[in-house]
């Protein structure tokens, strides 16, 4: 059996982050679960293979100092891979309860902060190649009314991905982004509820309308994203870097 490798997964308290953590725990990775809600992180940890081998750390990725102190606290020597999944969704409206800075600061700046604070640990790892996977969104490629902050934050991640892939190639750190479409998570269902309320239709009708733009007319399951992430950080993956990879049931075909 290969030596266990340490992987940091952000936003691992729910949704895609939890699914990624569960999948990786079955493949002999040692996980650091990072998020804001300690109870949710513990719930994820208790759902993993051999919960006792994994650690939870609570912090707010908007603040670099918090991330740095959190990583020091758990006393790790190096990280093999980072899965930068943490993010928030929802609408924003200029000047009226505007969430622009909250969303940009979490999704884009928070991801940048996490990667930068993790780099010393990635560079210390002795694996031939180290990995960073950024979870973006199909809305990095599409526009949605009322979601300017979310779309901008996710589009920004794709530029960050390309720049870091070039910058970190000399350190043998491969950087890639995944753009999921509709995924069966609470965030997606909250989006459907907002959509249904705005149009004054049922959630079921909102789902049917949303699927009109999806050729396969379905959501993906979180474990599909998890399995693809697992491949991107695997030892067999040594040539893909700087790429944006789409899992969206045909909703976007670049």
């Amino acid at each position: 059996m290969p030596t266990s490798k340490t992987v940091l997964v952000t936003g691992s308290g729910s949704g895609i982050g939890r699914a990624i953590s569960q999948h990786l725990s079955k493949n002999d990775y040692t996980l650091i679960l990072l998020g804001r809600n300690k109870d949710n992180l513990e719930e994820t940890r208790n759902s993993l293979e051999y919960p006792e081998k994994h650690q939870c750390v609570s912090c707010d990725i908007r603040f670099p100092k918090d991330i740095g102190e959190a990583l020091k606290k758990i006393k790790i020597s190096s990280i093999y891979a980072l899965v930068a999944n943490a993010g928030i969704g929802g609408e924003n409206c200029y000047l009226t309860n505007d969430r622009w800075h909250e969303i940009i600061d979490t999704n884009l700046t928070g991801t940048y902060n996490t990667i930068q604070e993790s780099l010393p640990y990635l560079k210390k790892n002795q694996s031939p190649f180290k990995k960073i996977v950024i979870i973006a969104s199909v809305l990095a490629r599409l526009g949605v009314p009322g979601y300017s902050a979310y779309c901008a934050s996710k589009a920004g991640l794709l530029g960050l991905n390309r720049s870091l892939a070039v910058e970190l190639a000399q350190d043998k750190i491969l950087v890639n982004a995944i753009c999921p479409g509709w995924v069966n998570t609470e965030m997606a269902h909250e989006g459907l509820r907002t959509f249904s309320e705005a149009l004054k239709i049922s959630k079921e009708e909102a789902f049917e309308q949303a699927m009109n733009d999806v050729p396969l007319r379905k959501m993906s399951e979180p474990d599909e994203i998890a399995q693809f992430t697992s491949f991107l950080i695997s030892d067999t993956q040594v040539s893909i870097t700087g790429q944006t990879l789409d899992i969206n049931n045909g909703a976007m075909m670049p």
Side-chain angles (χ1 to χ4, degrees):
M1 181 176 293
T3 303
S4 178
K5 294 179 177 178
T6 300
V7 180
L8 173 61
V9 184
T10 71
S12 43
S14 62
I16 291 173
R18 176 172 288 178
I20 289 171
S21 301
Q22 290 169 335
H23 189 82
L24 295 181
S25 75
K26 298 173 183 177
N27 289 277
D28 199 44
Y29 291 106
T30 298
L31 303 180
I32 302 165
L33 310 176
L34 187 148
R36 285 189 290 189
N37 189 309
K38 190 66 179 290
D39 291 339
N40 289 347
L41 294 174
E42 288 291 351
E43 190 175 322
T44 296
R45 188 171 77 91
N46 290 331
S47 73
L48 305 181
E49 295 281 320
Y50 307 108
E52 66 281 356
K53 72 182 282 190
H54 311 293
Q55 297 189 68
C56 298
V57 57
S58 178
C59 76
D60 190 330
I61 63 171
R62 292 177 297 175
F63 306 108
K65 185 177 177 181
D66 286 8
I67 303 168
E69 290 179 351
L71 293 176
K72 288 178 183 176
K73 182 179 177 181
I74 56 178
K75 295 180 171 60
I76 51 170
S77 58
S78 72
I79 295 171
Y80 164 69
L82 163 65
V83 180
N85 165 74
I88 58 175
E91 298 176 284
N92 63 289
C93 182
Y94 184 58
L95 296 183
T96 306
N97 297 319
D98 197 347
R99 299 179 63 231
W100 174 271
H101 289 291
E102 178 191 2
I103 293 171
I104 296 290
D105 289 352
T106 301
N107 294 358
L108 180 55
T109 306
T111 298
Y112 173 75
N113 293 338
T114 305
I115 292 171
Q116 294 299 328
E117 292 294 327
S118 299
L119 278 179
Y121 298 93
L122 285 160
K123 290 178 179 180
K124 286 178 186 176
N125 193 275
Q126 297 302 305
S127 298
F129 290 92
K130 284 79 71 171
K131 317 291 171 62
I132 296 173
V133 176
I134 299 169
I135 306 299
S137 167
V138 68
L139 295 193
R141 300 185 180 278
L142 302 171
V144 174
Y147 280 73
S148 59
Y150 187 80
C151 292
S153 70
K154 294 298 184 175
L157 289 177
L158 303 191
L160 180 65
N161 172 59
R162 291 189 291 269
S163 179
L164 289 177
V166 176
E167 181 180 326
L168 300 177
Q170 62 184 357
D171 297 301
K172 297 296 188 289
I173 299 174
L174 309 185
V175 189
N176 291 289
I178 297 176
C179 283
W182 286 100
V183 181
N184 187 17
T185 63
E186 180 55 37
M187 184 183 288
H189 288 285
E190 180 59 35
L192 286 175
R193 279 192 290 271
T194 301
F195 187 31
S196 67
E197 290 168 4
L199 296 179
K200 295 180 171 55
I201 58 178
S202 70
K203 186 182 170 187
E204 290 72 25
E205 291 171 318
F207 175 79
E208 288 302 317
Q209 286 202 29
M211 292 304 106
N212 285 337
D213 296 321
V214 181
L216 293 183
R217 300 191 64 80
K218 70 176 183 68
M219 290 186 178
S220 299
E221 291 301 320
D223 193 58
E224 294 179 65
I225 314 304
Q227 291 190 53
F228 194 48
T229 301
S230 182
F231 164 70
L232 286 176
I233 71 168
S234 67
D235 286 331
T236 56
Q237 197 294 92
V238 296
S239 299
I240 303 172
T241 195
Q243 302 304 307
T244 298
L245 304 149
D246 298 279
I247 304 179
N248 58 37
N249 294 293
M252 181 67 192
M253 303 181 186

